[in-house]
Amino acid sequence: MSSDSYTVTGPDGSSVDLPQVQGTMGPPAVDVRKLYANTGGFTFDPGFTSTCSCESGITFIDGEKGQLLYRGYRADELAQKSNYMEVCYLLLNGELPTQSEYEEFNDAIRMHTMLNESLKRFFTGFHYDAHPMAMLSSIVSGLSAFYHDTTNTADPEHRKIFARRMIAKIPTIAAAAYKYSIGQPMVYPKNDLDYSSNFLHMMFAVPAEDYEVDPVAAEALDVLLILHADHEQNASTSTVRLAGSTGCNPYAAISSGIAALWGPAHGGANEAVLKQLSAIGSADNVDKYIAKAKDKNDPFRLMGFGHRVYKNFDPRATVIREHCHKVLKAYGGDTDGMLELAMKLEEIALKDEYFVERKLYPNVDFYSGIIYKAIGIPTNMFTPMFAIGRTVGWVAHYLEMISDPGLRIGRPRQIYTGATERPYSDITGR
């Protein structure tokens, strides 16, 4: 291997030089685009754990250092000093906004918060106990039928309108899905409220009485949205990019990301954490479940610990942990023992040799579910909450991809393991 290329030698002794690609941060990559043309072979990487699918200037993760950067800014620092609307502007535009840019962007988002009245009828087509993620992905896909006149992806102005419209409407859709599931009327957005407060108002207000948003809940929600805003080329973001590479309607591409996020191994993890804490029941049962987690013959898996990317402490978890304590204090403490249980699990995981050796530290999902539960968000809404925060990341990656002049449709290869070619046999002779 030279300083700027890698040499691959085939079984027949032939070799090919593959150039090295180096970003501004992170490890180098091998450009294998010409591998097949020169050798007749492909790379094999199940799960794409060693494959770079694109070049991107949006988010950087260093799993060894526990580092997460949005456009070069530490995500945990943004969560402590900024707000979600500023972070949205940053992810979309590459820089933090000036005061005038922030006001223009914030006003533009507020202009798009309402849904077309015809869209409200879509909700009535769902059974009352449908999962909110089913409604969320369907309604977002349905936006493509209402806004097809401003989705010329070659037009920068259309792309900007799509981005702002999508970020503005996702909380309205999510709150409407919740309201429908409990038989309450949809609450219209109030554009005098900030983004997080507006969502809480749409979730919990009713026409029969006044509702005042709790600033502690709104602040905690804003922090969670920031920390969920983007996470590099994860499963849902990669899905948005893959779908978007076909040239499909951009709302359909975002809908595909919502569907990917639904899985318990991805966005559904915080919902799974809370269900698991409920199953454990009390701190007295922790040792029993820790033993189950260590037993390789036991299918039990401790949710909320470890991360596929982070090999150290999840930088987002520290910030969320602080807000978890703040929210529980404001809401009367740990009334059901959930935090005590979570603290004991964390204490064991940080000291137990089994967890320390495997670096199974608490991740972002560990505390976020407890916060959601404390401020009144039902368990089946946890993944839609993740989707609200992540929408700006999906949109930013979609815009980056669709404006790339070198864009090509995504088309992974495979290792075929089926039957070789064989003749057809008539049904009477089988």
Side-chain angles (χ1 to χ4, degrees):
M1 183 184 76
S2 68
S3 60
D4 58 0
S5 68
Y6 296 80
T7 300
V8 176
T9 303
D12 62 353
S14 63
S15 63
V16 58
D17 289 334
L18 301 174
Q20 175 178 288
V21 180
Q22 180 67 64
T24 53
M25 298 179 71
V30 186
D31 187 343
V32 298
R33 284 177 289 184
K34 295 184 178 179
L35 181 66
Y36 176 70
N38 291 330
T39 69
F42 298 121
T43 57
F44 181 55
D45 184 22
F48 310 113
T49 56
S50 298
T51 298
C52 300
S53 62
C54 64
E55 291 181 326
S56 179
I58 299 171
T59 298
F60 175 77
I61 297 171
D62 187 325
E64 296 296 333
K65 295 180 180 178
Q67 185 181 43
L68 172 63
L69 305 179
Y70 295 162
R71 301 286 193 180
Y73 294 96
R74 283 172 41 197
D76 54 329
E77 183 178 17
L78 289 169
Q80 293 169 320
K81 299 178 180 179
S82 188
N83 63 57
Y84 184 64
M85 280 293 95
E86 273 200 336
V87 171
C88 285
Y89 186 95
L90 169 68
L91 291 174
L92 293 175
N93 299 285
E95 299 291 343
L96 287 167
T98 63
Q99 185 64 39
S100 60
E101 288 170 338
Y102 175 76
E103 291 173 0
E104 187 276 331
F105 179 73
N106 206 26
D107 289 344
I109 295 296
R110 287 172 173 171
M111 281 179 56
H112 291 294
T113 53
M114 291 185 65
L115 299 180
N116 187 296
E117 286 294 297
S118 297
L119 265 172
K120 291 170 60 178
R121 294 198 292 270
F122 281 38
F123 290 95
T124 61
F126 293 97
H127 200 257
Y128 74 94
D129 61 353
H131 196 287
M133 284 296 279
M135 290 187 267
L136 196 64
S137 61
S138 300
I139 301 299
V140 169
S141 182
L143 292 175
S144 60
F146 287 80
Y147 303 113
H148 50 82
D149 58 331
T150 52
T151 51
N152 176 9
T153 57
D155 187 333
E157 186 63 24
H158 281 205
R159 295 199 295 264
K160 183 172 77 171
I161 293 171
F162 152 72
R164 296 178 173 193
R165 184 180 278 148
M166 190 66 256
I167 293 166
K169 293 187 186 305
I170 192 73
T172 309
I173 295 170
Y178 169 66
K179 286 296 194 182
Y180 178 74
S181 71
I182 61 173
Q184 289 186 2
M186 173 184 169
V187 175
Y188 288 102
K190 290 186 66 176
N191 289 345
D192 59 329
L193 297 174
D194 64 74
Y195 193 85
S196 295
S197 297
N198 198 11
F199 172 75
L200 291 173
H201 176 266
M202 290 187 288
M203 277 285 291
F204 300 121
V206 292
E209 57 189 58
D210 293 331
Y211 175 80
E212 186 172 340
V213 177
D214 186 336
V216 174
E219 180 187 14
L221 176 57
D222 211 65
V223 167
L224 286 168
L225 294 179
I226 291 172
L227 295 176
H228 282 123
D230 194 47
H231 210 240
E232 212 192 69
Q233 305 306 317
N234 54 81
S236 58
T237 300
S238 297
T239 300
V240 170
R241 279 182 172 265
L242 189 61
S245 74
T246 69
C248 69
N249 186 286
Y251 298 102
I254 301 302
S255 177
S256 73
I258 294 171
L261 186 73
W262 194 351
H266 190 9
N270 55 6
E271 182 177 345
V273 167
L274 207 68
K275 288 180 178 178
Q276 181 174 270
L277 290 175
S278 297
I280 294 173
S282 74
D284 296 335
N285 297 326
V286 167
D287 291 339
K288 170 187 171 183
Y289 281 89
I290 289 291
K292 286 168 65 67
K294 294 180 181 180
D295 185 354
K296 64 180 181 180
N297 297 317
D298 194 310
F300 176 78
R301 177 190 173 198
L302 197 60
M303 303 297 292
F305 291 85
H307 196 280
R308 184 170 180 173
V309 174
Y310 296 111
K311 306 306 178 186
N312 206 318
F313 202 81
D314 187 335
R316 302 167 298 174
T318 304
V319 179
I320 294 179
R321 184 177 187 270
E322 295 173 1
H323 280 273
C324 184
H325 285 276
K326 186 175 181 179
V327 167
L328 288 171
K329 181 179 179 181
Y331 280 74
D334 188 21
T335 56
D336 60 1
M338 196 70 75
L339 182 61
E340 179 190 0
L341 174 54
M343 292 297 99
K344 186 168 183 181
L345 279 171
E346 180 195 45
E347 179 184 2
I348 292 174
L350 293 178
K351 295 179 180 178
D352 190 284
E353 185 177 343
Y354 176 89
F355 290 92
V356 173
E357 282 184 355
R358 292 163 176 78
K359 297 184 178 180
L360 297 175
Y361 301 106
N363 60 35
V364 68
D365 303 304
F366 187 67
Y367 293 107
S368 59
I370 300 173
I371 293 176
Y372 287 145
K373 182 177 184 293
I375 64 178
I377 306 292
T379 305
N380 66 350
M381 280 294 294
F382 287 1
T383 317
M385 301 300 298
F386 197 154
I388 294 171
R390 183 56 54 85
T391 291
V392 66
W394 292 331
V395 169
H397 280 276
Y398 173 85
L399 295 180
E400 181 181 63
M401 176 201 67
I402 210 70
S403 59
D404 181 358
L407 170 65
R408 298 185 66 188
I409 184 173
R411 180 44 168 99
R413 300 291 187 167
Q414 65 173 19
I415 302 294
Y416 177 68
T417 59
T420 57
E421 184 178 354
R422 47 186 171 172
Y424 175 80
S425 176
D426 188 82
I427 192 168
T428 59
R430 295 174 201 161

